[in-house]
């Protein structure tokens, strides 16, 4: 991660005019990067701002005064609240399941050489690069042909399916870089393979497992396309928003979006600070 | 006994997750293909008749939307490469200690729901919204000017939503370049542009490939952006598939369209891979 050395090697051999050119090029790219970041943030700022808007009619798209009432009434629309609760429930269950199943695959792929590993890698690559539309349709055809009723269970099945590969990839990366001598030391001290795994290996790969589960949670709570095809009449948070686009979104959606955004940022910042202070201690 | 246990261990670890992927990824793809060749309806059931005519109908009826989706996907991807490269380059080479902060800022949109972000753009770009209304009041735009419902709006939305997927892989590739290689090129009197063209860009190509893979396929099969920001004249194939599956319950047609789309996308991706050389592609894929 150290490429600071790459800043122009300002040797005497470099002619002065070219150095000045490079400097302005750097400045232009700096400004451009911030412009792109600003562009990425625009709709988020609008979402946050319009959670404080006081619209008269049904359409919440022109500024009509500041209010905090939507924060007070954030759960006033019962359909929307239950959609959020369903989304959270599915995200918790599917991320834990994908975490368990994906860790098994990631650990096996990182640690052992075994028959079928190539095929498994191929399937994982395929699940990560397949268009969501196609995964959604194919699951729909499976559930319809098998006569399985669509709902929260089929959504969860689908979310676990597309999350497993992401968890496995994160865990495998950690297992590959694992220092085997620590495990050998534990074995030399008489620990059984079972004890070695739970007392030594698992604590080391736990941060990777945790970030895999967080990734699966984020993928699940935001998923629209696959959910749209596997939901039946069940409504999740993104599906509710999609359904409400034609009639105008209530400001409560902005408030919930803002709260989810804030929670996500908070979790990300806390975990990154914790890992940073841990890295310092090590 | 212990040896048996050890050789069995990877299989036991892989079994539950592998079965899940087999049952809910591989089997559905086969079901979908089989259903695309079946005839019948949801009430009376489907019979396998090897009915390839569905594919012919799918392609002749929806060729406009199919071609439009691929064109939108292509334009989006090219725009993304051009737009993302300087960002990834600046963060990788000049980000210094703040690299992770910049990457975090690039990833910021992912903390807000994809559908909600797209709708937020609709609220901004709408005919009497906060962007066009003041410009029209000031007489800078004709009163009839609009952005929503045009192909520009749809491509704008696609570029917006997929930008981080292009910046990240290019960044990863650039970040791995050994600074000494660049220094060596400079020592050999290569001009900055030559250094970029002959050293930096070729080394970044696997990242560009990974980015294209991560953006072209989802962008051309997307139906959220064209649904929220577009109109009937910007309908993409994803919307057709969604309508056939969810509104008309015409599962054979939805399956045939999906399968055909997947075949076209994969052919595109693999011919691109051939041009670039398979080794780089495997490296990009492994990442």
């Amino acid at each position: 991660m150290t490429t600071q050395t790459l800043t122009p090697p300002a040797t005497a051999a470099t002619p002065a005019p070219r150095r000045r050119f490079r400097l302005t090029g750097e400045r232009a790219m700096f400004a451009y990067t911030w412009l792109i970041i600003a562009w990425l943030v625009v709709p988020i700022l609008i979402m946050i701002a319009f959670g404080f808007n006081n619209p008269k009619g049904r359409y919440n798209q022109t500024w009509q005064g500041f209010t905090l009432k939507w924060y007070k009434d954030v759960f006033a629309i019962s359909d929307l609240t239950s959609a959020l609760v369903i989304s959270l429930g599915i995200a918790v269950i599917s991320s834990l399941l994908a975490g368990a199943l994906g860790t098994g695959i990631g650990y096996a792929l990182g640690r052992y050489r075994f028959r079928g590993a190539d095929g498994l890698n191929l399937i994982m690559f395929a699940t990560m690069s397949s268009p969501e539309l196609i995964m959604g349709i194919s699951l729909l055809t499976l559930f319809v042909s098998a006569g399985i009723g669509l709902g929260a269970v089929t959504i969860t099945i689908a979310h676990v399916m597309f999350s497993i590969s992401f968890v496995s990839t994160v865990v495998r990366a950690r297992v590959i870089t694992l220092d085997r001598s620590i495990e050998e030391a534990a074995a030399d001290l008489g620990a059984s393979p079972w004890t070695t795994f739970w007392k030594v290996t698992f604590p080391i790969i736990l941060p990777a497992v945790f970030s895999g589960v967080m990734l699966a949670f984020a993928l699940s709570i935001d998923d629209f396309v696959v959910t749209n095809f596997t939901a039946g009449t069940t409504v999740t948070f993104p599906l509710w928003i999609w359904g409400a686009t034609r009639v105008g979104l209530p400001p409560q959606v902005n408030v919930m979006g803002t709260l989810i955004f804030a929670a996500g940022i908070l979790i990300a910042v806390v975990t990154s600070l914790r890992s940073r202070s841990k890295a310092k201690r090590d | 006994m212990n040896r048996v246990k050890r050789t069995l261990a990877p299989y036991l670890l892989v079994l539950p997750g592998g079965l899940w992927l087999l049952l809910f990824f591989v089997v559905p793809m086969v079901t979908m293909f089989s259903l695309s060749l079946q005839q019948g309806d949801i009430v009376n059931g489907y019979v396998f008749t090897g009915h390839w005519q569905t594919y012919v109908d799918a392609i002749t009826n929806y060729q406009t939307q199919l071609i439009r989706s691929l064109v939108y996907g292509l334009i989006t991807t090219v725009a993304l490469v051009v737009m993302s490269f300087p960002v990834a380059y600046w963060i990788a080479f000049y980000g210094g200690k703040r690299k992770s902060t910049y990457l975090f800022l690039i990833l910021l949109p992912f903390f807000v729901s994809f559908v909600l972000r797209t709708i937020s753009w609709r609220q901004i770009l709408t005919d009497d919204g906060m962007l066009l209304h003041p410009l029209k009041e000031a007489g800078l735009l004709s009163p009839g000017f609009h952005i929503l419902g045009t192909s520009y709006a749809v491509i704008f939305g696609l570029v917006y939503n997929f930008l981080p997927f292009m910046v990240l892989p290019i960044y990863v590739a650039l970040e791995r370049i050994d600074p000494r290689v660049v220094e060596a090129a400079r020592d050999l009197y290569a001009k900055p542009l030559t250094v970029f063209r002959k050293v930096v860009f070729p080394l970044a190509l696997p990242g560009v490939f990974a980015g294209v893979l991560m953006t072209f396929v989802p962008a051309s099969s997307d139906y959220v952006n064209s649904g929220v920001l577009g109109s009937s004249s910007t309908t993409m194939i994803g919307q057709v598939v969604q309508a056939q599956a969810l509104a008309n319950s015409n599962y054979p047609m939805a399956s045939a369209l999906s399968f055909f789309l997947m075949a076209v996308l994969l052919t595109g991706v693999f011919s691109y891979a051939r041009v670039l050389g398979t080794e780089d592609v495997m490296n990009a894929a492994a990442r």
Side-chain angles (χ1 to χ4, degrees):
Chain A
M1 289 293 274
T2 51
T3 38
Q4 287 100 310
T5 40
L6 211 110
T7 39
T11 50
T14 321
R18 198 190 294 168
R19 253 185 80 196
R20 259 184 75 192
F21 169 74
R22 198 179 298 148
L23 204 64
T24 50
E26 184 191 330
R27 275 192 191 152
M29 275 196 289
F30 171 77
Y32 174 77
T33 302
W34 275 102
L35 203 71
I36 291 285
I37 291 171
W39 180 52
L40 289 173
V41 171
V42 166
I44 301 173
L45 295 180
I46 296 294
M47 174 194 76
I48 296 172
F50 279 73
F52 296 106
N53 189 23
N54 193 5
K56 305 286 180 289
R58 213 169 44 182
Y59 291 98
N60 183 23
Q61 55 195 25
T62 50
W63 185 255
Q64 294 174 37
F66 181 88
T67 178
L68 280 172
K69 71 177 169 200
W70 309 118
Y71 277 81
K72 201 171 113 271
D73 295 344
V74 60
F75 298 124
I77 305 168
S78 60
D79 292 359
L80 176 60
T81 308
S82 69
L84 184 68
V85 171
I86 289 171
S87 272
L88 285 169
I90 291 172
V92 168
I93 294 169
S94 66
S95 61
L96 290 177
L97 258 172
L101 301 181
T103 301
I105 294 182
Y107 185 79
L109 286 174
R111 164 56 48 94
Y112 303 99
R113 297 171 67 92
F114 57 98
R115 212 181 269 247
D118 290 340
L120 191 63
N121 267 319
L122 189 71
I123 292 176
M124 278 170 50
F125 179 61
T127 61
M128 290 198 283
S129 52
S130 286
E132 283 202 85
L133 174 79
I134 308 233
M135 290 200 283
I137 292 279
S138 66
L139 276 166
L140 176 68
T141 60
L142 174 77
F143 293 141
V144 167
S145 320
I148 298 168
L150 301 175
V153 174
T154 48
I155 300 173
T156 310
I157 288 174
H159 287 195
V160 172
M161 184 274 287
F162 66 64
S163 301
I164 285 179
S165 309
F166 288 94
V167 179
S168 307
T169 309
V170 175
V171 173
R172 179 180 56 189
R174 184 74 191 96
V175 172
I176 286 173
T177 58
L178 206 72
D179 186 358
R180 295 287 291 269
S181 58
I182 304 172
E183 289 175 339
E184 280 159 19
D188 288 347
L189 292 168
S192 69
W194 186 251
T195 317
T196 309
F197 178 80
W198 285 112
K199 295 257 172 179
V200 179
T201 317
F202 190 69
I204 299 176
I205 64 169
L206 191 61
V209 173
F210 182 72
S211 53
V213 170
M214 293 302 289
L215 185 62
F217 185 89
L219 287 172
S220 166
I221 202 154
D222 189 31
D223 183 74
F224 171 73
V225 176
V226 173
T227 311
N228 193 10
F229 289 107
T230 51
T233 52
T234 304
V235 180
T236 64
F237 186 59
L239 290 185
W240 196 94
I241 299 170
W242 175 262
T245 46
R246 317 237 175 274
V247 288
L249 285 188
Q252 276 91 341
V253 168
N254 293 50
V255 175
M256 284 181 182
T258 306
L259 295 176
I260 294 172
F261 178 71
I265 298 281
L266 195 72
I267 293 169
V269 169
V270 167
T271 39
S272 112
L273 286 181
R274 268 184 54 193
S275 67
R276 198 173 296 175
S277 68
K278 193 169 176 293
K280 253 182 206 157
R281 262 185 282 132
D282 288 349
Chain B
M1 183 61 206
N2 217 344
R3 259 187 69 192
V4 175
K5 244 188 201 167
R6 201 163 299 165
T7 47
L8 270 179
Y11 296 103
L12 290 176
L13 285 165
V14 157
L15 195 68
L19 264 181
W20 200 287
L21 288 177
L22 196 70
L23 267 178
F24 301 115
F25 180 74
V26 181
V27 171
M29 291 291 171
V30 177
T31 317
M32 182 180 80
F33 180 61
S34 154
L35 196 55
S36 72
L37 299 173
Q38 294 179 22
Q39 280 176 292
D41 57 65
I42 188 134
V43 183
N44 301 311
Y46 294 95
V47 192
F48 188 90
T49 52
H51 192 73
W52 289 94
Q53 185 62 32
T54 312
Y55 279 85
V56 179
D57 293 344
I59 296 162
T60 46
N61 293 346
Y62 301 112
Q63 52 174 315
T64 326
Q65 288 88 343
L66 272 167
I67 294 169
R68 187 183 287 138
S69 305
L70 295 176
V71 170
Y72 283 7
L74 215 62
I75 297 175
T76 302
T77 309
V78 172
L80 279 173
V81 173
V82 174
M83 286 174 70
S84 306
F85 210 100
V87 175
Y89 188 90
W90 194 83
I91 299 176
F93 288 162
Y94 299 104
K97 278 186 202 157
R98 298 260 160 87
K99 272 179 194 172
S100 51
T101 310
Y102 281 110
L103 291 177
F104 180 72
L105 290 173
I106 296 288
L107 288 173
L108 220 48
F110 290 117
F111 290 96
V112 174
S113 169
F114 168 51
V115 180
L116 197 51
R117 264 181 281 143
T118 313
I119 291 171
S120 192
W121 274 118
R122 183 159 99 158
Q123 291 180 328
I124 297 167
L125 299 174
T126 190
D127 292 350
D128 51 357
M130 61 200 81
L131 184 72
L132 298 189
H133 188 68
L135 291 173
K136 284 178 182 175
E137 289 275 280
L140 289 169
L141 289 174
S142 74
F145 181 87
H146 60 96
I147 298 175
L148 275 194
T150 66
S151 43
Y152 298 108
V154 177
I155 293 169
F156 176 91
L158 291 171
V159 170
Y160 174 82
N161 278 312
F162 292 111
L163 185 99
F165 292 115
M166 186 62 89
V167 172
L168 283 184
I170 298 181
Y171 165 82
V172 170
L174 289 172
E175 161 76 18
R176 289 186 176 194
I177 296 178
D178 188 338
R180 284 172 299 184
V181 178
V182 180
E183 274 168 39
R186 289 213 186 102
D187 289 347
L188 294 167
Y189 297 107
K191 289 178 187 154
L193 254 177
T194 317
V195 175
F196 180 78
R197 205 162 44 86
K198 297 241 171 177
V199 180
V200 176
F201 191 70
L203 288 172
L205 263 186
V208 174
F209 177 78
V212 169
L213 193 70
M214 286 171 78
T215 56
F216 175 65
V217 173
S220 22
S221 59
D222 179 79
Y223 62 90
V224 173
N225 285 283
S226 49
V228 173
L229 302 171
S231 64
S232 55
S233 64
T234 63
T235 309
M236 288 170 75
I237 199 64
Q239 280 167 284
V240 176
V241 174
Q242 195 233 19
Q244 289 293 347
L246 295 180
N248 304 350
S249 296
N250 188 349
Y251 297 118
M253 177 56 91
S255 302
L257 275 170
S258 304
F259 206 80
F260 180 71
L261 179 67
M262 191 164 74
V264 172
L265 291 177
L266 287 183
T267 313
V269 166
F270 277 106
S271 31
Y272 180 51
R274 279 301 281 273
V275 173
L276 216 76
T278 10
E279 210 169 288
D280 281 346
V281 174
M282 285 311 286
N283 285 339
R287 227 167 260 158

